[in-house]
Amino acid sequence: MPDMNFLPFARPDIGEEEITAVTETLRSGWLTTGPVTAAFEKEFAERIGGDVHAVAVNSATAGLHLSFEAIGITPGDEVLVPTWTFTSTAEAVRYLGGEPILVDVHPDTLAIDFADAERKITDRTVAVAPVHYAGLPVPNSELAAFAGAHGLKVVEDAAHAFPTLNEGLLVGASQSETTVFSFYATKTMTTGEGGMVFTHDADLAARMRTMRLHGIDRDVFGRYTSTKPAWHYDVVAPGYKYNLTDMAAAIGRVQLRRTDQMVARRREIAARYDEAFADLPLTLPPHAPEGSTHAWHLYCVKLDENAPVNRDRFIELMAENQVGTSVHFIPLHIQPYWRDTYRLTPEQFPVATAEFAKACSLPIFSAMTDDDVDQVIDATRRILG
Ligand SMILES: *Cc1c(COP(=O)(O)O)cnc(C)c1O
């Protein structure tokens, strides 16, 4: 039986407005991708700013797959992916027969280490897929310089990074080929399951729109075949089934309007943790530099070597103290599939391997009450103080 005093690691921030919006959609008679999804794409694109194209999908994983397909990943193509990520980033490359080449990370930000990435470039390398880990952006200037120097395409895994300013631009507005957001239940905004891809490139947007719905090209129909009847459509490729439902989009439109309030709450919680844990034997998460912001999707602390307990024991004790925690991430080079397929060893990723032993994510979500925050602080101080 669930313990009422147990604070879960994450809980979605859903209010009456979201519930009403879903109910209205249910009563409207149109459930699948339709007018609400179109409005969600338009409003999100306006929020990101500039002449971006928004493509709503049913998960970020789908968005990553569509991105890699649209930029032309074919069997044997190599894509640089940080080992410190969720398996989606790499698996979406495998769907197309591409080879994710795992890269070590910076010890402080846990984001892709461009020096290690550079060492792993071959004549098959065609793209890089950085992850804005925890909601802290990989600086646009560094990313563009690295990709430009090596002629690589860029797919940003921004599953943690809405809303995040990256050197003055919202993540999603950069010149990268695509940027992919996740609306999974634990992310900074949610639609239950869902995602959105942004691109400045009209051709990439058109390809992703076609492939997200069975390879059906309605634009071809609209533009060139005006003599065909309304029931006609053209299948131009073996596409996927990645479209977002209008019920999900209805939640998303409300969440989008609430993002400033929700990110402000996350920022408040992070500030309280920073202050409460300053004297404990752990490393606090890094903050965004001037001109950038942090979305605080995750608050990942790293236990010092001289801490009274190790990370695994800390997680057990936090649970005994009624607080759910998690680990983001178990690096991909340790996961059986990636380790065995690419014969990877911990020594090839010294930073990620060492940081993994110390990392623990504490609860941080906009629906947390002040009492919830106190509960996390008290438990953490009791164990490590
Ligand atoms: C959550 C997450 C994803 C996948 O998002 P879905 O919407 O669940 O497919 C991809 N990358 C990272 C880094 C994530 O945290």
Side-chain angles (χ1 to χ4, degrees):
M1 230 178 56
D3 187 321
M4 293 310 287
N5 292 320
F6 192 85
L7 178 72
F9 172 68
R11 196 192 308 122
D13 189 348
I14 296 294
E16 285 308 314
E17 258 195 288
E18 283 87 345
I19 293 167
T20 304
V22 173
T23 309
E24 278 172 7
T25 306
L26 286 170
R27 291 186 203 286
S28 75
W30 193 278
L31 305 186
T32 182
T33 311
V36 185
T37 302
F40 183 36
E41 286 179 332
K42 182 168 174 288
E43 289 159 7
F44 212 131
E46 282 165 5
R47 176 67 194 264
I48 294 297
D51 57 347
V52 284
H53 305 272
V55 181
V57 285
N58 59 12
S59 72
T61 308
L64 289 163
H65 187 191
L66 291 176
S67 295
F68 291 128
E69 200 278 338
I71 66 169
I73 299 296
T74 53
D77 285 350
E78 294 178 359
V79 179
L80 300 164
V81 174
T83 187
W84 197 277
T85 185
F86 187 56
T87 194
S88 289
T89 328
E91 81 187 15
V93 175
R94 288 300 296 147
Y95 292 167
L96 297 154
E99 310 288 352
I101 302 301
L102 298 184
V103 176
D104 209 355
V105 291
H106 282 288
D108 47 351
T109 61
L110 302 172
I112 190 164
D113 175 358
F114 288 119
D116 190 48
E118 192 146 26
R119 286 191 284 275
K120 288 175 170 165
I121 288 179
T122 72
D123 54 9
R124 304 292 328 248
T125 313
V126 296
V128 58
V131 176
H132 301 299
Y133 175 70
L136 183 72
V138 174
N140 274 335
S141 53
E142 286 177 36
L143 180 54
F146 175 77
H150 301 287
L152 303 179
K153 295 181 173 172
V154 181
V155 172
E156 295 179 42
D157 181 336
H160 301 179
F162 186 77
T164 298
L165 272 183
N166 189 345
E167 297 178 341
L169 273 186
L170 270 181
V171 170
S174 74
Q175 291 303 318
S176 295
E177 268 65 24
T178 75
T179 297
V180 184
F181 293 110
S182 171
F183 309 137
Y184 182 69
T186 60
K187 298 287 158 70
T188 54
M189 65 171 270
T190 187
T191 61
E193 299 279 0
M196 188 85 78
V197 188
F198 286 95
T199 180
H200 285 284
D201 185 321
D203 293 334
L204 290 180
R207 178 68 181 178
M208 292 190 287
R209 287 207 175 97
T210 296
M211 294 306 280
R212 88 175 150 182
L213 199 65
H214 307 294
I216 290 172
D217 189 340
R218 295 209 176 255
D219 288 343
V220 167
F221 165 60
R223 261 187 262 141
Y224 308 115
T225 57
S226 56
T227 56
K228 287 188 186 166
W231 49 262
H232 187 90
Y233 56 86
D234 292 308
V235 174
V236 298
Y240 316 112
K241 188 68 202 293
Y242 285 163
N243 56 306
L244 190 70
T245 68
D246 265 17
M247 280 105 65
I251 304 173
R253 290 180 74 193
V254 177
Q255 292 262 299
L256 183 64
R257 287 199 290 274
R258 295 182 52 217
T259 49
D260 288 338
Q261 169 242 316
M262 291 195 295
V263 75
R265 179 61 183 152
R266 285 175 183 268
R267 207 176 290 133
E268 248 169 44
I269 297 165
R272 283 211 53 206
Y273 286 167
D274 282 352
E275 201 190 322
F277 303 149
D279 62 333
L280 296 184
L282 51 73
T283 304
L284 298 172
H287 280 235
E290 188 73 26
S292 296
T293 62
H294 198 311
W296 293 112
H297 166 55
L298 297 174
Y299 190 94
C300 173
V301 297
K302 291 180 284 185
L303 300 197
D304 290 349
E305 232 132 74
N306 66 349
V309 294
N310 68 16
R311 190 272 315 274
D312 292 5
R313 184 66 187 142
F314 176 71
I315 289 176
E316 283 171 9
L317 290 172
M318 287 295 275
E320 282 174 24
N321 280 274
Q322 311 293 318
V323 175
T325 57
S326 193
V327 176
H328 299 90
F329 290 98
I330 303 169
L332 296 185
H333 70 269
I334 292 172
Q335 295 289 2
Y337 171 77
W338 301 111
R339 181 194 63 204
D340 298 346
T341 304
Y342 293 95
R343 292 178 222 263
L344 304 173
T345 65
E347 294 73 35
Q348 292 169 327
F349 306 89
V351 176
T353 302
E355 298 305 313
F356 169 58
K358 307 187 274 184
C360 178
S361 305
L362 301 179
I364 186 165
F365 49 92
S366 50
M368 277 179 98
T369 65
D370 288 339
D371 285 348
D372 293 338
V373 178
D374 287 338
Q375 192 176 334
V376 177
I377 291 173
D378 292 348
T380 305
R381 293 200 60 84
R382 208 172 297 135
I383 298 163
L384 297 178

